[in-house]
Amino acid sequence: MRFLRQVATNGLPVVFAVNYVRFFLFAMTKQPKAGSRDTAFFVLVDVLLRALLFPGLHVLIYVLSADWFGSFGGNRSTALAVVSPTLARSAFFENISGVYLYATMISALPLYVSAFGRSEFLGPVVRRLPMNTGVMLLALAAFALSVGLITIGAQGIASLQAR
């Protein structure tokens, strides 16, 4: 039951919220140019929002779980203290948060491919490689950057907490 509660109260809300933002950004890349922003800008927005939203939602949910379900011994401080180490190891699938992390990342690929493929700024670079290889390479690089930002940020916070 605890595992199912964890998936229902942590996994589903985190994956839904992060993916919702991404699908909104994806729709924006499909719109005719309404402003001066290049579509590659939306990838940067997505990466930065994910680096804030993914850990931020974990903090909120962990603290609420301590209050509502008595998780972490019912202690909010303990709940806060475990967020960073948990997220630092999630990129390596050492906990269930790794599943949530990559569930949000896989859905980023359509946004990244669309944004890089329609980018006027990156177009000359991307189109030099055959069969959308450039678009896919940039999308995978943005994917790795997102995972790296979350992991390095969490490791940095975890090391500060250990002091």
Side-chain angles (χ1 to χ4, degrees), residues 53-67:
L53 194 58
F54 190 80
L57 287 171
H58 274 79
V59 166
L60 176 67
I61 290 167
Y62 280 28
V63 168
L64 289 175
S65 291
D67 285 344

Side-chain angles (χ1 to χ4, degrees), residues 24-32 39-40 42-43 110-111 114-115 118:
F24 177 76
L25 292 172
F26 177 73
M28 291 181 71
T29 67
K30 294 297 188 180
Q31 297 298 318
T39 54
F42 295 113
V43 174
L111 166 64
S114 173
R118 295 183 56 152

Side-chain angles (χ1 to χ4, degrees), residues 8-87:
T9 61
N10 187 18
L12 291 176
V14 168
V15 171
F16 178 82
V18 173
N19 285 340
Y20 183 83
V21 170
R22 176 161 313 102
F23 292 136
F24 177 76
L25 292 172
F26 177 73
M28 291 181 71
T29 67
K30 294 297 188 180
Q31 297 298 318
K33 288 274 191 185
S36 61
R37 299 256 188 250
D38 189 80
T39 54
F41 173 77
F42 295 113
V43 174
L44 177 63
V45 169
D46 179 71
V47 169
L48 294 176
L49 280 176
R50 181 179 310 104
L52 297 172
L53 194 58
F54 190 80
L57 287 171
H58 274 79
V59 166
L60 176 67
I61 290 167
Y62 280 28
V63 168
L64 289 175
S65 291
D67 285 344
W68 294 348
F69 306 117
S71 301
F72 313 104
N75 188 323
R76 289 181 176 184
S77 297
T78 303
L80 286 173
V82 300
V83 172
S84 294
T86 299
L87 295 183

Side-chain angles (χ1 to χ4, degrees), residues 99-146:
V99 175
Y100 309 149
L101 176 64
Y102 288 106
T104 64
M105 291 306 305
I106 292 299
S107 67
L109 290 177
L111 166 64
Y112 297 168
V113 169
S114 173
F116 289 140
R118 295 183 56 152
S119 173
E120 292 177 18
F121 179 72
L122 297 172
V125 175
V126 167
R127 291 182 195 97
R128 287 187 181 168
L129 296 170
M131 298 173 47
N132 291 328
T133 306
V135 171
M136 286 306 296
L137 288 174
L138 283 175
L140 291 173
F143 183 105
L145 176 64
S146 295

